[in-house]
Amino acid sequence: MGGARFIQGLLHGLRTGVVPGGSADTEVTVVANTADDWWIHGLKVCPDLDTVMYTLGDGIDVERGWGRRDETWSAKAELEAYGVEPTWFGLGDRDIATHLVRTQMLEAGFSLSQVTEALCRRWQPGVRLLPMTDDRVETHVAIADPESPSGRRVVHFQEYWVRLRAAVPAETVVVVGQDAATPAPGVLDAITGADLVVLPPSNPVVSVGTILGVPGVREAVRSTPAPVVGLSPIVGGSHVHGMAAQMLASIGVEVDAGAVGAHYGARSAGGVLDAWLVDERDADQVAGLEAAGLRAQAVPLMMDGPDATAAMAAAAVSVAAGHPA
């Protein structure tokens, strides 16, 4: 959701001239996380791809931040009446159409990249939307389970997020299939051929982190001639939405804007960033980040609307160019 809203603000800023050096014709490529994907009721569901597509195509349910606007839930109710599990994960009637089309195309032999391109022909998101990989990659989370012989059990990310609501500590995050995955067509070229690479204020572990974990992607970010700028998802010592705090704890990273910037690291020291934007409330982090080799600035980072988010995108371009935001 954070990434989708940021892209929406970026496009608004390009159209209105707020983002320096850009225009409505600027080509934007979005590489989306697919490790949240899973199969349910025989359908392939890609939450992050769909959230970006629906948001930019003006079909998202803005209040929920996911799924279709004006949704109904008759199919979900009927599945529950039959006692079909899982009942805690609901597919809306309108949303099901997307998953049906995707599943039929995948079973006919089309790749996830090809399917995504076909779906986007309907929604016209205004960006080139690419899955991080066409291979099956799924995030699982280890949680405590006193009844298990090992004292823990592993659940799919969707169960952790939707059923458990991230209310129990995440002991370990395991991204199944990631090591054997390859970047989807166009992903590496988009990174190495860009004028600017932006890591949006998305979850550093299970969104941006899983994309960087696909073999070859981190290396492409490190080697691209383009500046690489990130925006902190942590504001004032807390995540704004989602579960960044729980996920950061699972990898031993403090819930702190400076700590997340240091987790990504400076490209000059083997990391992936040239610059890192923190919120004004975290201005005391700037000196430490710069000492670690990152250009850092403190700017407003709350996405309170298209104009505020466009200003964030403009700040990212400015800091990439070495100018004050």
Side-chain angles (χ1 to χ4, degrees):
M1 182 173 66
R5 287 184 176 175
F6 177 78
I7 300 157
Q8 191 175 43
L10 168 64
L11 295 177
H12 174 68
L14 290 169
R15 288 192 298 267
T16 58
V18 171
V19 176
S23 71
D25 296 327
T26 298
E27 181 179 332
V28 177
T29 298
V30 178
V31 179
N33 167 49
T34 58
D36 293 2
D37 297 3
W38 75 325
W39 288 83
I40 178 172
H41 306 313
L43 300 176
K44 172 74 167 179
V45 178
C46 301
D48 285 10
L49 283 169
D50 291 345
T51 296
V52 173
M53 185 174 70
Y54 291 158
T55 298
L56 302 184
D58 194 30
I60 196 79
D61 185 309
V62 176
E63 291 187 6
R64 286 201 314 264
W66 56 270
R68 293 290 306 281
R69 185 169 57 239
D70 301 323
E71 187 62 277
T72 56
W73 304 92
S74 298
K76 179 178 184 294
E78 286 299 307
L79 287 165
E80 289 180 2
Y82 280 115
V84 177
E85 294 291 343
T87 56
W88 48 263
F89 191 94
L91 297 178
D93 300 328
R94 305 184 81 186
D95 194 30
I96 282 176
T98 297
H99 310 315
L100 282 168
V101 172
R102 177 185 292 119
T103 304
Q104 288 173 349
M105 291 188 68
L106 289 172
E107 291 179 345
F110 292 96
S111 68
L112 183 58
S113 295
Q114 292 170 318
V115 174
T116 302
E117 183 179 3
L119 293 172
C120 284
R121 282 198 284 271
R122 174 192 175 182
W123 291 99
Q124 296 294 309
V127 301
R128 183 186 183 202
L129 179 58
L130 303 177
M132 67 185 195
T133 180
D134 285 339
D135 299 315
R136 185 170 180 173
V137 176
E138 293 184 358
T139 298
H140 290 71
V141 180
I143 59 174
D145 182 0
E147 297 182 2
S148 170
S150 66
R152 61 165 57 174
R153 65 187 175 98
V154 177
V155 298
H156 192 283
F157 175 81
Q158 294 300 335
E159 182 174 356
Y160 182 76
W161 178 227
V162 180
R163 187 177 76 84
L164 299 177
R165 299 186 181 277
V168 297
E171 296 187 357
T172 309
V173 175
V174 181
V175 187
V176 179
Q178 186 176 58
D179 292 345
T182 57
V187 168
L188 299 185
D189 288 343
I191 296 169
T192 58
D195 298 307
L196 173 66
V197 175
V198 179
L199 275 59
S202 298
N203 194 299
V205 182
V206 294
S207 293
V208 178
T210 49
I211 297 171
L212 291 173
V214 175
V217 172
R218 186 181 300 271
E219 291 75 14
V221 175
R222 285 175 174 164
S223 64
T224 181
V228 182
V229 181
L231 296 92
S232 175
I234 304 299
V235 173
S238 174
H239 58 223
V240 180
H241 297 289
M243 68 190 94
Q246 295 92 321
M247 294 296 99
L248 288 169
S250 75
I251 61 170
V253 175
E254 187 178 353
V255 185
D256 176 89
V260 175
H263 166 67
Y264 284 131
R267 284 208 288 177
S268 59
V272 296
L273 292 175
D274 297 311
W276 183 240
L277 293 179
V278 301
D279 188 76
E280 292 174 316
R281 280 164 279 190
D282 299 305
D284 60 338
Q285 306 283 330
V286 169
L289 288 162
E290 291 183 338
L294 287 169
R295 292 198 300 277
Q297 291 184 22
V299 301
L301 288 187
M302 296 299 290
M303 293 187 286
D304 295 325
D307 291 338
T309 310
M312 290 167 53
V317 174
S318 296
V319 73
H323 303 310

